[in-house]
Amino acid sequence: MRNQISNFIKNVPKAELHLHIEGTLEPELMFKLAKRNNIFIPYKNVEEVKSAYKFKNLDSFLDIYYQSSKVLITEEDFFDLTWAYLLKCKEDNIVHTEIFFDPQAHIDRGVSFEIIINGINNALKKANFEFGISSKIIMCFLRHLEEDSGFNVLNDAIKHKDKIIGVGLDSSEIGNPPKKFEKLFNKAIEEGFLTVAHAGEEGPPEYIWDCINLLKVKRIDHGVQCLKDDKLVEELIKKQIPLTVCPLSNVKLCVFDNLKNHNLKKMLIRGLRVMVNSDDPAYFGGYLNQNLIETHLALNLKLEDIKNLIINSFKSSFLDDDKKNEWIEKIN
Ligand code: HPA
Ligand code: ZN
């Protein structure tokens, strides 16, 4: 049965909705780009990089994540980064992916918005043409920065509306509440962008409430802290607001001490619209299939549970309804 479920996971068409493209930078590519761009990185070899990937919380990860992102300079770098992830998608049979990017992490180093968006978008177009993988791009605002800086990149994004479906909110959660970005999100909505936000990864349920009420989000990224608030759970179920859960990420960042203690199964049983995603797979120990397989083993998820998770990911995607239904029928 275990093998049967693992095979099902590997072979079924899947969607991924919570994936930071910068978080797919594998150490090998990091070295290659560092050399190509003559950038210093504080590691001697891949083993040394991997042994630095021991995190005690979100912030301790973000320090390393932003530091490593500094090797990304040219359009070709962003293309290569995205293409490497798309090859993983092909391997994992991910047929649709909605990826985040963090322009402020690069613009502040002198890289232009155009270089970033064109590199990413060209790789996505090529994967659509060659592998039939569909995709959407979501631009994230860094919540540790001020709202003004967010308005600057929103103005850039407006020029690239044809490529960017929505905006999100990531980086250091605690102390940077959603209400800090209420005006920015309202402006983004006025401009026609859909909104999502990281909330309830480490932060309290109130941040999830504020994302729903103030930022008008279509999905909550992570959201695992919601079970601390029964009224919130009721609201999330009633409105069927998707929660893009990332199990291996949550263990790596010590949100749960062990995958066996993850609350995904509880959330699923309560009727929350949850699914599994990989977040920053180069840092957290695996891509989407690895997340699904390890979670299935740790939480004893049944075939029906896995099917529900995967159907939820298509239902919660920004694909149009016909396309969603087509994939869901295939899975059933
Ligand atoms: N949380 C917040 N910000 C992030 C993450 C995350 O898991 N990954 C990359 N930026
Ligand atoms: Zn994330």
Side-chain angles (χ1 to χ4, degrees), residues 8 62 89 128 133-134 140 142 161 167 175 214 218-219 244 249 277 294 308 330:
F8 175 79
L62 290 170
C89 288
N128 185 249
I133 296 171
S134 59
C140 279
L142 299 184
K161 259 188 203 171
V167 299
L214 307 180
K218 302 286 183 210
R219 302 194 292 246
T244 65
S249 162
N277 305 272
E294 287 194 34
N308 285 336
K330 268 198 189 133

PDB file of all heavy atoms in Angstrom, residues 8 62 89 128 133-134 140 142 161 167 175 214 218-219 244 249 277 294 308 330:
ATOM      1  N   PHE A   8       1.507   6.629  -6.703  1.00  0.00           N
ATOM      2  CA  PHE A   8       0.416   7.550  -7.052  1.00  0.00           C
ATOM      3  C   PHE A   8       0.916   8.994  -6.968  1.00  0.00           C
ATOM      4  O   PHE A   8       0.708   9.799  -7.880  1.00  0.00           O
ATOM      5  CB  PHE A   8      -0.788   7.336  -6.122  1.00  0.00           C
ATOM      6  CG  PHE A   8      -1.898   8.331  -6.353  1.00  0.00           C
ATOM      7  CD1 PHE A   8      -2.783   8.179  -7.416  1.00  0.00           C
ATOM      8  CD2 PHE A   8      -2.035   9.445  -5.529  1.00  0.00           C
ATOM      9  CE1 PHE A   8      -3.793   9.111  -7.646  1.00  0.00           C
ATOM     10  CE2 PHE A   8      -3.040  10.385  -5.761  1.00  0.00           C
ATOM     11  CZ  PHE A   8      -3.921  10.215  -6.814  1.00  0.00           C
ATOM     12  N   LEU A  62      16.097  33.270   6.620  1.00  0.00           N
ATOM     13  CA  LEU A  62      16.047  34.408   5.681  1.00  0.00           C
ATOM     14  C   LEU A  62      17.425  35.057   5.521  1.00  0.00           C
ATOM     15  O   LEU A  62      17.793  35.469   4.417  1.00  0.00           O
ATOM     16  CB  LEU A  62      15.008  35.435   6.141  1.00  0.00           C
ATOM     17  CG  LEU A  62      13.545  34.990   6.009  1.00  0.00           C
ATOM     18  CD1 LEU A  62      12.607  35.980   6.713  1.00  0.00           C
ATOM     19  CD2 LEU A  62      13.117  34.825   4.544  1.00  0.00           C
ATOM     20  N   CYS A  89      10.078  20.274 -11.912  1.00  0.00           N
ATOM     21  CA  CYS A  89       8.617  20.145 -12.116  1.00  0.00           C
ATOM     22  C   CYS A  89       8.332  18.983 -13.057  1.00  0.00           C
ATOM     23  O   CYS A  89       7.442  18.172 -12.808  1.00  0.00           O
ATOM     24  CB  CYS A  89       8.028  21.420 -12.709  1.00  0.00           C
ATOM     25  SG  CYS A  89       7.961  22.783 -11.554  1.00  0.00           S
ATOM     26  N   ASN A 128       6.458  26.010 -20.917  1.00  0.00           N
ATOM     27  CA  ASN A 128       5.099  25.820 -21.412  1.00  0.00           C
ATOM     28  C   ASN A 128       5.135  25.235 -22.819  1.00  0.00           C
ATOM     29  O   ASN A 128       4.407  24.291 -23.140  1.00  0.00           O
ATOM     30  CB  ASN A 128       4.340  27.146 -21.390  1.00  0.00           C
ATOM     31  CG  ASN A 128       2.884  26.957 -21.796  1.00  0.00           C
ATOM     32  OD1 ASN A 128       2.440  27.399 -22.856  1.00  0.00           O
ATOM     33  ND2 ASN A 128       2.136  26.251 -20.964  1.00  0.00           N
ATOM     34  N   ILE A 133       3.978  22.738 -19.302  1.00  0.00           N
ATOM     35  CA  ILE A 133       3.749  23.186 -17.909  1.00  0.00           C
ATOM     36  C   ILE A 133       3.174  24.604 -17.938  1.00  0.00           C
ATOM     37  O   ILE A 133       3.749  25.495 -18.558  1.00  0.00           O
ATOM     38  CB  ILE A 133       5.076  23.174 -17.101  1.00  0.00           C
ATOM     39  CG1 ILE A 133       5.613  21.747 -16.967  1.00  0.00           C
ATOM     40  CG2 ILE A 133       4.877  23.817 -15.728  1.00  0.00           C
ATOM     41  CD1 ILE A 133       7.023  21.660 -16.364  1.00  0.00           C
ATOM     42  N   SER A 134       2.016  24.794 -17.269  1.00  0.00           N
ATOM     43  CA  SER A 134       1.445  26.139 -17.195  1.00  0.00           C
ATOM     44  C   SER A 134       1.917  26.805 -15.904  1.00  0.00           C
ATOM     45  O   SER A 134       2.335  26.129 -14.961  1.00  0.00           O
ATOM     46  CB  SER A 134      -0.078  26.087 -17.264  1.00  0.00           C
ATOM     47  OG  SER A 134      -0.595  25.305 -16.205  1.00  0.00           O
ATOM     48  N   CYS A 140       6.127  39.109  -4.638  1.00  0.00           N
ATOM     49  CA  CYS A 140       5.987  39.308  -3.182  1.00  0.00           C
ATOM     50  C   CYS A 140       6.646  40.596  -2.716  1.00  0.00           C
ATOM     51  O   CYS A 140       7.741  40.941  -3.150  1.00  0.00           O
ATOM     52  CB  CYS A 140       6.602  38.133  -2.427  1.00  0.00           C
ATOM     53  SG  CYS A 140       5.518  36.714  -2.333  1.00  0.00           S
ATOM     54  N   LEU A 142       8.445  42.408   0.453  1.00  0.00           N
ATOM     55  CA  LEU A 142       9.175  42.013   1.664  1.00  0.00           C
ATOM     56  C   LEU A 142       8.609  42.797   2.854  1.00  0.00           C
ATOM     57  O   LEU A 142       8.690  44.024   2.887  1.00  0.00           O
ATOM     58  CB  LEU A 142      10.671  42.284   1.508  1.00  0.00           C
ATOM     59  CG  LEU A 142      11.390  41.550   0.372  1.00  0.00           C
ATOM     60  CD1 LEU A 142      12.886  41.861   0.406  1.00  0.00           C
ATOM     61  CD2 LEU A 142      11.158  40.045   0.444  1.00  0.00           C
ATOM     62  N   LYS A 161       2.033  43.904 -16.057  1.00  0.00           N
ATOM     63  CA  LYS A 161       0.772  43.244 -15.672  1.00  0.00           C
ATOM     64  C   LYS A 161       0.473  42.013 -16.512  1.00  0.00           C
ATOM     65  O   LYS A 161      -0.203  41.096 -16.062  1.00  0.00           O
ATOM     66  CB  LYS A 161      -0.380  44.226 -15.887  1.00  0.00           C
ATOM     67  CG  LYS A 161      -0.857  44.892 -14.660  1.00  0.00           C
ATOM     68  CD  LYS A 161      -2.118  45.683 -14.971  1.00  0.00           C
ATOM     69  CE  LYS A 161      -2.268  46.773 -13.940  1.00  0.00           C
ATOM     70  NZ  LYS A 161      -3.336  47.714 -14.270  1.00  0.00           N
ATOM     71  N   VAL A 167      -0.056  39.741  -6.251  1.00  0.00           N
ATOM     72  CA  VAL A 167       1.001  40.130  -5.322  1.00  0.00           C
ATOM     73  C   VAL A 167       0.845  39.362  -4.014  1.00  0.00           C
ATOM     74  O   VAL A 167      -0.266  38.979  -3.641  1.00  0.00           O
ATOM     75  CB  VAL A 167       0.996  41.655  -5.043  1.00  0.00           C
ATOM     76  CG1 VAL A 167       1.242  42.441  -6.320  1.00  0.00           C
ATOM     77  CG2 VAL A 167      -0.291  42.101  -4.362  1.00  0.00           C
ATOM     78  N   GLY A 175       6.076  40.903  14.052  1.00  0.00           N
ATOM     79  CA  GLY A 175       6.443  42.322  14.147  1.00  0.00           C
ATOM     80  C   GLY A 175       6.167  43.098  12.868  1.00  0.00           C
ATOM     81  O   GLY A 175       6.315  44.325  12.840  1.00  0.00           O
ATOM     82  N   LEU A 214      -8.273  42.892   5.680  1.00  0.00           N
ATOM     83  CA  LEU A 214      -7.626  44.130   5.214  1.00  0.00           C
ATOM     84  C   LEU A 214      -6.957  43.963   3.855  1.00  0.00           C
ATOM     85  O   LEU A 214      -6.986  44.861   3.029  1.00  0.00           O
ATOM     86  CB  LEU A 214      -6.571  44.611   6.226  1.00  0.00           C
ATOM     87  CG  LEU A 214      -7.027  44.788   7.673  1.00  0.00           C
ATOM     88  CD1 LEU A 214      -5.861  45.263   8.539  1.00  0.00           C
ATOM     89  CD2 LEU A 214      -8.186  45.786   7.748  1.00  0.00           C
ATOM     90  N   LYS A 218      -6.856  35.987  -1.561  1.00  0.00           N
ATOM     91  CA  LYS A 218      -7.514  34.823  -2.149  1.00  0.00           C
ATOM     92  C   LYS A 218      -6.978  33.535  -1.522  1.00  0.00           C
ATOM     93  O   LYS A 218      -7.618  32.478  -1.618  1.00  0.00           O
ATOM     94  CB  LYS A 218      -7.254  34.768  -3.660  1.00  0.00           C
ATOM     95  CG  LYS A 218      -7.709  35.987  -4.417  1.00  0.00           C
ATOM     96  CD  LYS A 218      -9.221  36.012  -4.553  1.00  0.00           C
ATOM     97  CE  LYS A 218      -9.676  37.198  -5.384  1.00  0.00           C
ATOM     98  NZ  LYS A 218     -11.012  37.650  -4.978  1.00  0.00           N
ATOM     99  N   ARG A 219      -5.768  33.608  -0.990  1.00  0.00           N
ATOM    100  CA  ARG A 219      -5.177  32.439  -0.315  1.00  0.00           C
ATOM    101  C   ARG A 219      -4.304  32.939   0.823  1.00  0.00           C
ATOM    102  O   ARG A 219      -3.775  34.046   0.756  1.00  0.00           O
ATOM    103  CB  ARG A 219      -4.235  31.648  -1.265  1.00  0.00           C
ATOM    104  CG  ARG A 219      -4.839  31.141  -2.536  1.00  0.00           C
ATOM    105  CD  ARG A 219      -3.933  30.100  -3.221  1.00  0.00           C
ATOM    106  NE  ARG A 219      -2.710  30.596  -3.751  1.00  0.00           N
ATOM    107  CZ  ARG A 219      -2.415  30.635  -5.069  1.00  0.00           C
ATOM    108  NH1 ARG A 219      -3.288  30.190  -5.968  1.00  0.00           N
ATOM    109  NH2 ARG A 219      -1.234  31.085  -5.468  1.00  0.00           N
ATOM    110  N   THR A 244      -1.919  27.388   1.838  1.00  0.00           N
ATOM    111  CA  THR A 244      -0.855  26.705   1.091  1.00  0.00           C
ATOM    112  C   THR A 244       0.218  26.202   2.066  1.00  0.00           C
ATOM    113  O   THR A 244       1.211  26.879   2.326  1.00  0.00           O
ATOM    114  CB  THR A 244      -0.220  27.644   0.050  1.00  0.00           C
ATOM    115  OG1 THR A 244       0.427  28.718   0.723  1.00  0.00           O
ATOM    116  CG2 THR A 244      -1.262  28.195  -0.918  1.00  0.00           C
ATOM    117  N   SER A 249       9.182  22.640   5.085  1.00  0.00           N
ATOM    118  CA  SER A 249       9.581  23.993   5.494  1.00  0.00           C
ATOM    119  C   SER A 249       9.277  24.186   6.976  1.00  0.00           C
ATOM    120  O   SER A 249      10.122  24.655   7.750  1.00  0.00           O
ATOM    121  CB  SER A 249       8.823  25.020   4.658  1.00  0.00           C
ATOM    122  OG  SER A 249       8.839  26.291   5.255  1.00  0.00           O
ATOM    123  N   ASN A 277       2.934  22.030  -0.463  1.00  0.00           N
ATOM    124  CA  ASN A 277       3.829  22.797  -1.340  1.00  0.00           C
ATOM    125  C   ASN A 277       5.256  22.697  -0.791  1.00  0.00           C
ATOM    126  O   ASN A 277       5.457  22.282   0.348  1.00  0.00           O
ATOM    127  CB  ASN A 277       3.408  24.264  -1.343  1.00  0.00           C
ATOM    128  CG  ASN A 277       1.950  24.439  -1.715  1.00  0.00           C
ATOM    129  OD1 ASN A 277       1.616  24.554  -2.879  1.00  0.00           O
ATOM    130  ND2 ASN A 277       1.072  24.414  -0.723  1.00  0.00           N
ATOM    131  N   GLU A 294       6.970  12.247   2.234  1.00  0.00           N
ATOM    132  CA  GLU A 294       7.357  12.271   3.654  1.00  0.00           C
ATOM    133  C   GLU A 294       6.167  12.565   4.561  1.00  0.00           C
ATOM    134  O   GLU A 294       6.035  11.999   5.651  1.00  0.00           O
ATOM    135  CB  GLU A 294       8.476  13.290   3.893  1.00  0.00           C
ATOM    136  CG  GLU A 294       9.810  12.813   3.345  1.00  0.00           C
ATOM    137  CD  GLU A 294      10.997  13.622   3.857  1.00  0.00           C
ATOM    138  OE1 GLU A 294      10.966  14.080   5.015  1.00  0.00           O
ATOM    139  OE2 GLU A 294      11.950  13.792   3.074  1.00  0.00           O
ATOM    140  N   ASN A 308      -7.311  14.380  -2.126  1.00  0.00           N
ATOM    141  CA  ASN A 308      -7.951  15.634  -1.725  1.00  0.00           C
ATOM    142  C   ASN A 308      -6.964  16.786  -1.714  1.00  0.00           C
ATOM    143  O   ASN A 308      -7.273  17.895  -2.156  1.00  0.00           O
ATOM    144  CB  ASN A 308      -8.598  15.497  -0.341  1.00  0.00           C
ATOM    145  CG  ASN A 308      -9.884  14.698  -0.410  1.00  0.00           C
ATOM    146  OD1 ASN A 308     -10.514  14.627  -1.460  1.00  0.00           O
ATOM    147  ND2 ASN A 308     -10.259  14.071   0.702  1.00  0.00           N
ATOM    148  N   LYS A 330      -9.202  14.459 -14.500  1.00  0.00           N
ATOM    149  CA  LYS A 330      -8.095  13.525 -14.779  1.00  0.00           C
ATOM    150  C   LYS A 330      -7.665  12.812 -13.497  1.00  0.00           C
ATOM    151  O   LYS A 330      -7.391  11.606 -13.491  1.00  0.00           O
ATOM    152  CB  LYS A 330      -6.891  14.277 -15.340  1.00  0.00           C
ATOM    153  CG  LYS A 330      -6.907  14.314 -16.853  1.00  0.00           C
ATOM    154  CD  LYS A 330      -5.554  14.643 -17.463  1.00  0.00           C
ATOM    155  CE  LYS A 330      -5.750  14.875 -18.938  1.00  0.00           C
ATOM    156  NZ  LYS A 330      -5.105  16.081 -19.458  1.00  0.00           N
TER     157      LYS A 330
END
